[in-house]
Amino acid sequence: KYNEKKIKKLIVNIKDEWIAHEIAANKKLLESDKYEDALLKAQQIKKIDPDSEKIKRLIKGTKDKYQRHKVVEQRDFIYKGLEKTRTLMQLKKFDKALQAASEILDVDPENKKAQYMFQVAKRKALKSDNKARRKQMKFSHPISSTHSAFDPHV
């Protein structure tokens, strides 16, 4: 019986050390911004001891950090996208500006700035497309009604 207690204690100690080692590895993943890997690792650690409060806190903390990271990434994407859209509008590249604004709206459909730029770019793209068509039509019909096809001065 005495040896059985020692063996159980040894097993618990080994399990605790293993968990501590895995948690340390998980923290390194988090420090490297490898949130998905860290979350998978935390789920694997849970298999060692499904009832561990320490592991449950680790999983919750990992999920929280991952969520905050995704929010920051999304905010950065939107900010850079708005800047890109503004620049394209200034360069009068309305089709590309329309596409850039659309990408922002895919991520954040309620973004008022992107909605506004999308509408302006759409209107201006149509307007510039119509101008280009009129210009093309003007040059594709060199013979006007005031000149004869046989007039040598045309």
Side-chain angles (χ1 to χ4, degrees), residues 38-99:
L39 198 53
L40 288 172
K41 183 97 172 142
Q43 296 294 348
Q44 290 171 347
I45 297 169
K46 186 178 181 181
K47 292 177 184 175
I48 299 168
D49 187 358
D51 301 322
S52 169
E53 288 302 316
K54 190 176 190 177
I55 296 172
K56 287 177 185 175
R57 283 191 309 274
L58 173 72
I59 290 172
K60 184 184 179 331
T62 302
K63 284 180 179 177
D64 290 347
K65 285 182 181 181
Y66 184 44
Q67 199 60 35
R68 283 192 301 272
H69 174 74
K70 284 172 59 176
V71 167
V72 168
E73 265 187 347
Q74 183 178 354
R75 206 176 301 141
D76 286 349
F77 174 81
I78 291 168
Y79 176 79
K80 288 175 184 173
L82 290 171
E83 289 299 310
K84 177 180 178 182
T85 305
R86 266 188 218 99
T87 301
L88 290 167
M89 299 269 288
Q90 290 170 348
L91 295 171
K92 299 190 184 318
K93 295 184 177 187
F94 302 114
D95 289 335
K96 290 183 179 183
L98 189 61
Q99 182 181 354

Side-chain angles (χ1 to χ4, degrees), residues 94-138:
F94 302 114
D95 289 335
K96 290 183 179 183
L98 189 61
Q99 182 181 354
S102 178
E103 289 171 7
I104 296 167
L105 292 170
D106 287 343
V107 173
D108 183 9
E110 302 301 314
N111 189 296
K112 299 293 183 202
K113 290 178 183 176
Q115 289 173 353
Y116 174 76
M117 285 194 255
F118 180 86
Q119 292 304 322
V120 171
K122 184 177 178 182
R123 189 177 71 243
K124 291 192 176 198
L126 286 171
K127 192 176 178 181
S128 95
D129 198 31
N130 287 339
K131 277 185 183 177
R133 272 200 209 112
R134 282 194 304 269
K135 195 174 189 179
Q136 184 181 12
M137 287 175 68
K138 184 178 177 181

Side-chain angles (χ1 to χ4, degrees), residues 12-24 41 44-45 47-49:
V12 168
N13 287 345
I14 290 171
K15 195 167 152 182
D16 288 345
E17 284 183 35
W18 184 19
I19 290 170
H21 174 75
E22 293 297 322
I23 288 174
K41 183 97 172 142
Q44 290 171 347
I45 297 169
K47 292 177 184 175
I48 299 168
D49 187 358

